[in-house]
Amino acid sequence: MAKVLIVDHQSSVRKSLRGLLGKYGHEVKETTSGKAALEIASNDQVDLMLLDIELPGMDGYQVLSSL
């Protein structure tokens, strides 16, 4: 199954997505910051990143641009 990274500052959003994706057998990692998302993406192969645009500090657009 796919390796999915959820990047969102709201725990309720991460929890809902993690539950749904896990139900279908996907490996799920999650973080609350853009900087951490970049670190995870550089160290692990991620098949899909669900990226919130309105992150504190480094927003989703900046994360995407850095990828």
Side-chain angles (χ1 to χ4, degrees), residues 6-21 28 30 50-52:
I6 301 169
V7 187
D8 199 301
H9 66 284
Q10 294 182 16
S11 62
S12 60
V13 171
R14 292 191 320 274
K15 182 179 178 181
S16 296
L17 290 171
R18 180 180 62 239
L20 180 63
L21 292 165
V28 179
E30 58 185 86
L50 300 176
L51 180 60
D52 183 14

